[in-house]
Amino acid sequence: MRRNWPVLVGCATALWSFAYGIAGLYWSSGGSGYPFAKVEDDRSTASVLEGAPVAVVGPVMAIVGLGGAVLAVVMTRRRPRGWLLQTIAAVLAVVLALVIPDYTLIAILALSPALVVFAFTGIPGEQGGVGDVLYWHRLNLLILFVGGVLWAATAIAYHRRTRDACVSCGRSDRPAPAWTTPSEALRWGRVAVGVSVVANLPYEATRIAWYFGWPLGITDDFHQMMVDTPGMLEMGLGLAVLAIGGSILTHGLVQRWGEVYPRWIWFKAGRRIPPRLAIIPASIVAVVLIPAGLMNAQLPLDGDNWALNAPGILWILWGASLGAATYAYYLRRRTTCVRCGRGVTCRSDALAGRSS
């Protein structure tokens, strides 16, 4: 399956695009369930398309979806040439995965343990169940995000084929750029980790301050409202603690304990950490942070309540720098490609830059 992933991803992208194109035709012809229709405030999202007329968006969905299905098949089955097709695929990936979604992705990721529990116990408060949180307008954003990820993978596979590079690792017979060597990746990876950690400090500081009674960046009246709302300050504190924990784990991308289990994990101490154990979750967090940051950038900034949205704008920088740090970690940890045989032959080669 790993060897055939470009074909599998291309087929999945074509099917996704075709299905969404058909949905666009259905909504354009007056079908129910148009996911960007204007709804009650407690059922709306902060997507850039929220409230957009179906007469405009529906036909665009149909054209882009059905045309995208053909494009995905062509990019998968035909010999690649030029930059046009991969550029279109990259634009689709950015729009679907980063621009249209809102904070839903990061909220679900942060609250996923609680949502699993709520599925069995019910949600505290007035909500009737998980369906009152993951309603259709929000689920549609998740579907669009999946489509964006598929288009990104299709663009990457096509780009590698145009360069006559290995579709699995991206390496070719050309000399590798200097910045991709383990020593250089460690250098700029440390910078990316530092930016990632600093970018979220305003969010963490404000939420912790609110919990302990200091209305940093908000009015006294707004802070009192949060005090009077059960669980509101606790939720903010919990998210801040999660962010701090994430910052600590981010340091592992450039530290020895991010590659080999430390001694305090006694049952695995000294054993090599599988790269995917860090790369997959860090990549997911990096990607879902960006649309949440873009959403905050679209919200009004109240001078007296600037801390409500302003710290979230920095999530764009947080996500981008975390993505860069994760890529640097990948470059340092990758070994010989099982498909093309290119790359280092042993871990000591890959880590040669660590001692320099």
Side-chain angles (χ1 to χ4, degrees):
M1 181 176 294
R2 289 178 60 185
R3 291 178 177 271
N4 296 324
W5 77 265
V7 174
L8 295 175
V9 167
C11 292
T13 304
L15 288 174
W16 183 94
S17 297
F18 180 77
Y20 218 89
I22 294 298
L25 286 176
Y26 172 72
W27 292 322
S28 298
S29 61
S32 61
Y34 172 59
F36 299 110
K38 190 173 182 59
V39 294
E40 297 178 3
D41 289 343
D42 61 350
R43 286 278 177 155
S44 65
T45 68
S47 170
V48 295
L49 292 182
E50 187 72 15
V54 65
V56 175
V57 177
V60 172
M61 287 179 174
I63 294 172
V64 172
L66 298 178
V70 176
L71 176 64
V73 172
V74 171
M75 293 180 67
T76 302
R77 306 302 302 179
R78 299 293 296 274
R79 179 178 178 82
R81 60 180 63 184
W83 288 87
L84 179 60
L85 298 187
Q86 59 187 301
T87 300
I88 296 174
V91 170
L92 286 173
V94 170
V95 171
L96 293 170
L98 302 182
V99 176
I100 296 179
D102 61 359
Y103 66 95
T104 297
L105 303 170
I106 189 65
I108 290 177
L109 184 64
L111 301 176
S112 54
L115 291 175
V116 173
V117 175
F118 293 158
F120 296 96
T121 65
I123 299 178
E126 298 180 357
Q127 280 100 355
V130 175
D132 286 343
V133 177
L134 296 179
Y135 41 83
W136 170 232
H137 272 41
R138 282 183 172 173
L139 286 175
N140 174 66
L141 298 182
L142 296 178
I143 294 172
L144 290 175
F145 176 76
V146 170
V149 172
L150 289 173
W151 272 112
T154 300
I156 290 171
Y158 189 87
H159 175 67
R160 289 176 176 178
R161 290 170 58 211
T162 60
R163 296 173 51 247
D164 291 324
C166 174
V167 293
S168 292
C169 69
R171 288 174 283 204
S172 67
D173 292 331
R174 303 172 185 174
W179 62 271
T180 64
T181 62
S183 58
E184 282 298 299
L186 179 61
R187 183 185 61 79
W188 57 264
R190 284 173 172 161
V191 175
V193 167
V195 173
S196 175
V197 172
V198 171
N200 200 41
L201 287 178
Y203 181 87
E204 297 162 354
T206 53
R207 272 55 184 178
I208 293 174
W210 298 349
Y211 180 79
F212 288 103
W214 182 21
L216 177 62
I218 57 175
T219 63
D220 291 337
D221 290 341
F222 194 90
H223 183 262
Q224 187 60 47
M225 183 276 293
M226 290 196 294
V227 172
D228 296 337
T229 304
M232 196 168 185
L233 289 176
E234 289 77 7
M235 180 66 71
L237 177 65
L239 293 175
V241 171
L242 281 176
I244 293 173
S247 296
I248 294 173
L249 292 176
T250 300
H251 281 88
L253 297 175
V254 291
Q255 298 294 330
R256 178 67 176 174
W257 58 265
E259 301 177 23
V260 178
Y261 286 106
R263 287 178 294 178
W264 53 269
I265 305 181
W266 69 95
F267 54 93
K268 286 193 174 183
R271 296 175 61 181
R272 177 174 174 265
I273 297 176
R276 291 183 181 181
L277 191 62
I279 292 172
I280 292 177
S283 299
I284 293 174
V285 173
V287 172
V288 301
L289 280 170
I290 293 177
L294 291 172
M295 180 208 70
N296 278 284
Q298 299 164 24
L299 298 176
L301 293 178
D302 187 334
D304 293 331
N305 289 313
W306 61 265
L308 293 177
N309 300 324
I313 298 176
L314 293 176
W315 289 355
I316 302 172
L317 181 60
W318 184 14
S321 57
L322 177 58
T326 305
Y327 185 57
Y329 179 86
Y330 160 75
L331 291 175
R332 293 192 298 106
R333 296 296 310 277
R334 63 178 180 174
T335 53
T336 303
C337 177
V338 297
R339 182 179 186 127
C340 68
R342 298 185 181 97
V344 297
T345 57
C346 64
R347 287 299 301 146
S348 60
D349 293 338
L351 297 175
R354 294 299 299 270
S355 59
S356 59

